[in-house]
């Protein structure tokens, strides 16, 4: 039987395929795709963050090894704007940009915010965060969460929903996370529900702010309520 084709990818020359010379140009990232130390060509993406660069390297490597011309790969990368709920722009109202993102576990939150910070360097980042799934609410992630919000300027965390049979001791303490995050330099407030969240956040928003909603659920309609409140504020 034929053996499987195996290659490595990443952001360093230790890999078969890797990205070199990553440059942020406004809202775009450009980098050189390298194969065995030789430049294949330049790729440009609107997706933020080095984690997205690594993902593109993996896809490009797979496509190249299956015979797809580099020009087609470059065109596909350039035109791909991302999956729904991955830095999805929901609205811009009164100079306030609203983004929705599915990130919820600590590493995804940290890397996503870092990418957004690089892409929107001139904006104040206001994060609205809800750990909703069983895994994202777990106590084991509590310490990791405290180091995940550094790229935001200010943040709110909604107390995780508790379900019948849940023991609060098994899940993250939002007040503790908020205190440590604040001590690290990103003021974070705790709210019990979305109504309180919207009531607190909207009066603080101003032109050139970027609001990022992060949840792996529907966030109890927070996005729709925020947009409605911003429209009312702008009248």
């Amino acid at each position: 039987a034929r053996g499987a084709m195996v290659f490595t990818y990443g952001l360093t020359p230790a890999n078969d395929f890797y990205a070199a010379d990553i440059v942020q140009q406004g809202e775009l990232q450009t980098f050189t795709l390298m194969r065995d130390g030789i430049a294949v060509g330049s790729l440009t993406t609107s997706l933020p963050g080095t984690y997205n660069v690594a993902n593109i390297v993996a896809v490009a490597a797979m496509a190249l090894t299956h015979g797809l011309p580099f020009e087609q790969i470059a065109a596909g990368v350039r035109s791909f704007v991302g999956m729904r709920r991955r830095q999805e722009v929901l609205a811009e109202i009164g100079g306030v940009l609203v983004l929705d993102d599915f990130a919820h576990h600590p590493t995804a939150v940290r890397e996503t915010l870092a990418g957004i910070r690089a892409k929107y360097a001139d904006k104040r980042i206001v994060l609205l965060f809800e750990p909703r799934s069983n895994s994202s609410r777990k106590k084991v992630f509590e310490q990791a969460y405290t180091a995940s919000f550094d790229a935001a300027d200010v943040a709110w965390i909604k107390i995780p929903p508790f379900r019948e049979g849940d023991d609060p001791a098994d899940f993250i303490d939002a007040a503790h996370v908020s205190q440590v995050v604040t001590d690290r330099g990103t003021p974070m407030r705790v709210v019990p529900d979305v109504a309180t969240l919207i009531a607190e956040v909207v009066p603080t928003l101003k032109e050139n702010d970027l609001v990022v909603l992060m949840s792996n659920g529907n966030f109890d309609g927070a996005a729709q309520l925020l947009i409605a409140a911003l429209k009312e504020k702008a009248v």
Side-chain angles (χ1 to χ4, degrees):
R2 290 175 55 188
M5 182 183 299
V6 178
F7 59 82
T8 61
Y9 73 92
L11 302 175
T12 68
N15 297 283
D16 301 319
F17 291 87
Y18 62 95
D21 304 321
I22 303 172
V23 177
Q24 186 80 38
Q25 300 174 316
E27 294 188 1
L28 301 176
Q29 291 192 97
T30 298
F31 64 93
T32 301
L33 178 65
M34 306 292 291
R35 181 176 188 176
D36 298 326
I38 299 173
V40 178
S42 178
L43 294 173
T44 298
T45 178
S46 61
L47 302 181
T50 54
Y51 68 100
N52 272 317
V53 170
N55 289 340
I56 291 169
V57 170
V59 172
M62 183 67 71
L64 282 171
T65 55
H66 283 77
L68 194 68
F70 179 77
E71 293 73 18
Q72 290 186 29
I73 297 170
V77 170
R78 182 65 180 83
S79 64
F80 182 65
V81 295
M83 298 176 66
R84 187 175 179 272
R85 294 204 69 187
R86 290 297 185 186
Q87 296 97 55
E88 180 184 4
V89 176
L90 297 181
E92 185 168 9
I93 303 165
V96 177
L97 187 65
V98 180
L99 291 184
D100 187 29
D101 196 276
F102 193 74
H104 56 284
H105 64 77
T107 301
V109 170
R110 184 182 68 248
E111 295 297 327
T112 298
L113 284 175
I116 290 172
R117 166 59 66 201
K119 185 173 182 178
Y120 299 98
D122 62 332
K123 293 186 179 293
R124 186 177 76 123
I125 296 177
V126 179
L127 175 67
L128 313 183
F129 177 66
E130 178 198 44
R132 192 175 188 96
S133 69
N134 278 331
S135 59
S136 68
R137 296 183 298 143
K138 291 294 187 182
K139 191 76 171 179
V140 68
F141 290 129
E142 184 173 281
Q143 189 58 36
Y145 273 129
T146 62
S148 295
F149 303 97
D150 291 354
D153 292 293
V154 61
W156 273 262
I157 181 171
K158 176 180 168 291
I159 294 174
F162 290 104
R163 300 162 184 134
E164 186 177 356
D166 282 350
D167 182 350
D170 294 334
F171 300 99
I172 67 170
D173 180 348
H176 173 71
V177 172
S178 172
Q179 185 60 61
V180 177
V181 170
T182 299
D183 291 343
R184 288 175 64 91
T186 299
M188 175 179 268
R189 289 181 56 80
V190 180
V191 291
D193 50 52
V194 166
T196 304
L197 174 67
I198 301 303
E200 286 193 11
V201 171
V202 171
T204 72
L205 298 177
K206 55 186 182 295
E207 187 175 358
N208 207 45
D209 279 352
L210 169 59
V211 183
V212 181
L213 296 102
M214 282 189 178
S215 171
N216 65 330
N218 67 5
F219 211 149
D220 296 335
Q224 293 74 22
L225 292 171
L226 173 65
I227 290 170
L230 284 172
K231 288 179 178 178
E232 184 176 345
K233 181 180 179 181
V235 172

